[in-house]
Amino acid sequence: MLVALAGCTGIDVVSILKKMRMNFDEFKIIVEGELTEEHPRHFTRMHVVYEFKGKYLPLDKIQKAIELSQQKYCGVSAT
C-alpha cells in the first residue's frame, strides 16, 4: 500500500509540476506507515515526505501540486 501511494502521488506531482513549467533536478518520496497489531493488519497512519532538489523551487507551486494529488487525483490517497 505504501509503495502504491508513493507511485500514485509521485506521478501526479511530477505531471502537475511539468504543467506548471517548473523544473527540478531530483525528486524523491519517502513513505512510512503504522500497522495495527491485530489481524487483518491495516495502516492506521501514513506519512509521506516529498524531497526536491534544484535551483529555483517555489514552495507554493510544490504545495499546490501535492495538495491536488492527495485530494483530487491519487486514488490510493482516498483509500
Side-chain angles (χ1 to χ4, degrees):
M1 182 67 112
L2 292 177
V3 174
L5 176 61
C8 178
T9 191
I11 289 170
D12 290 342
V13 169
V14 168
S15 176
I16 293 165
L17 290 176
K18 283 185 178 183
K19 288 179 184 176
M20 292 179 177
R21 300 182 191 273
M22 191 179 124
N23 296 316
F24 48 88
D25 297 328
E26 192 176 321
F27 172 52
K28 182 166 93 173
I29 298 178
I30 300 166
V31 289
E32 301 171 340
E34 292 179 14
L35 285 170
T36 59
E37 292 295 323
E38 55 284 335
H39 291 280
R41 295 182 66 162
H42 60 277
F43 289 100
T44 57
R45 185 177 158 271
M46 290 189 235
H47 183 74
V48 183
V49 177
Y50 300 84
E51 293 182 359
F52 290 88
K53 289 184 182 177
K55 290 187 179 185
Y56 178 68
L57 303 173
L59 186 58
D60 60 329
K61 285 186 177 185
I62 292 172
Q63 287 175 327
K64 180 70 174 177
I66 292 169
E67 287 173 10
L68 283 170
S69 174
Q70 290 181 348
Q71 296 172 4
K72 186 174 183 180
Y73 295 114
C74 179
V76 179
S77 292
T79 305

